Amino acid sequence: MEQQALHPAATGEFTRLLWDLVLAFKMISREVNRAGLAAILGLAGKENVQGEQVTKLDDYAQTRIYEQMDHGGHLCCMASEEADGLIPIPERFPKGKYVLLFDPLDGSSNVDVNASLGTIFSIHRKRSPGVDGTVEDCLQKGSAQVAAGYVVYGSSTMLVYTAGRGVHGFTLDPSLGEFLLSHENIRIPKRGKSYSINEGNERSWDEGTQRYIRYLKEKDSATNRPYGLRYIGTLVADFHRILLRGGVFLYPPDCSDPAKPKPKLRLLYEVAPMSMIAEQAGGAATTGHERILDLQPTDIHQRVAVALGSPDDVREYQEFVQGRRA
Ligand code: AFP
């Protein structure tokens, strides 16, 4: 609401959209914190003692966000990791001028081991004529995002977001049920001391990535090497640490078949929003060859290679991948 005042033409609709979204995040946070109890409270995996359905957490997160956002009149359509194509706004509800892309529960393979989970979102302005949103409205470059953010459900629940004027972090106070501004204007360190990558995949990386990771493990006090390795397998949690402490997160493509490199992470609702946050915090995000925010998406579920984090670390990675350093 404070930032809304900085935009004289703002109508308040975007603020109301975020307000609705935040309520869905609070509900997901409550459920994530009770996840370990689901089996204890559930009867034969179907209902808990209050007669509520015990749902899989990612279904729950998807439904919460969809049902919270389908009728407010702010959106023309949505797209999610959990849905095949475009998610239309039902006929009976008013349509709005924004598009919401989201990953409702990032890191869902970590649910059963009580490790951090997340939600990621990206918001675009509608571009097509007419009231209904189209696939083209979803397929916009990351540089066109109006806002992007994530929620990390960790030792506390934290919302980190940018609307193009810096990155701000809010921590959920469960006793108040409110997100309170705890990290104003986050700046990523110029260089970090750790890297985050699934090192088990080393043999399928491209040459440049292999050489870069070997370089990070060499001893050199001037550049703080060797770097430490930190990886939990939830993008939100791995990136959150890098945003606050510096360093680089990498998910290079699987190059087992060099003619067909296979990236894993999704552009529209994982990589593009994280890249906007990284850049807004003074960091960088690249495929190794191109700036992520300049990529023109061609598919809602398109996958992309990514390195993002501290500007000096990302620049060095690019030098290795582009063969400018050996
Ligand atoms: P899940 O949601 O299926 O656990 O995937 C998480 C994720 O998309 C992203 O959050 C992680 O960074 C990445 O996959 C981990 O992938 P690996 O398990 O291949 O390292």
Side-chain angles (χ1 to χ4, degrees), residues 4 10 38 44 56 79-80 84 88 91 119 155 165 173 177 213 245 253 288 326:
Q4 181 190 315
K56 270 177 63 196
S80 155
D84 272 351
E91 273 304 308
T119 296
S155 48
R165 285 175 181 258
D173 180 334
I213 299 296
R245 296 273 164 82

Side-chain angles (χ1 to χ4, degrees), residues 13-177:
E13 185 172 346
F14 177 68
T15 306
R16 288 193 291 276
L17 184 166
L18 277 183
W19 200 253
D20 287 352
L21 202 49
V22 160
L23 181 55
F25 298 154
K26 289 179 193 170
M27 292 193 252
I28 298 169
S29 174
R30 183 193 58 193
E31 211 61 19
V32 164
N33 289 327
R34 299 195 320 186
L37 292 170
I40 300 168
L41 297 177
L43 292 174
K46 287 194 184 112
E47 284 189 346
N48 64 22
V49 285
Q50 282 106 42
E52 299 161 340
Q53 287 288 322
V54 177
T55 47
K56 270 177 63 196
L57 261 186
D58 32 15
D59 291 348
Y60 178 84
Q62 168 71 20
T63 309
R64 281 286 63 75
I65 295 177
Y66 172 73
E67 290 186 353
Q68 184 62 24
M69 302 309 294
D70 70 344
H71 58 280
H74 316 305
L75 300 180
C76 61
C77 65
M78 302 182 234
S80 155
E81 191 192 15
E82 296 293 324
D84 272 351
L86 185 86
I87 308 173
I89 301 299
E91 273 304 308
R92 62 187 187 283
F93 295 135
K95 315 287 184 304
K97 60 182 177 193
Y98 292 106
V99 178
L100 174 67
L101 309 161
F102 61 100
D103 180 355
L105 201 71
D106 176 54
S108 38
S109 57
N110 275 330
V111 172
D112 295 340
V113 294
N114 207 1
S116 294
L117 306 169
T119 296
I120 311 174
F121 65 94
S122 160
I123 298 169
H124 281 277
R125 215 168 256 118
K126 182 177 186 339
R127 299 282 176 206
S128 64
V131 287
D132 293 320
T134 63
V135 172
E136 283 62 44
D137 291 317
C138 299
L139 300 182
Q140 297 188 50
K141 289 185 183 178
S143 55
Q145 289 173 106
V146 176
Y150 63 81
V151 182
V152 56
Y153 310 104
S155 48
S156 55
T157 294
M158 195 170 157
L159 164 69
V160 175
Y161 98 104
T162 179
R165 285 175 181 258
V167 178
H168 307 288
F170 298 77
T171 303
L172 182 65
D173 180 334
S175 62
L176 292 175

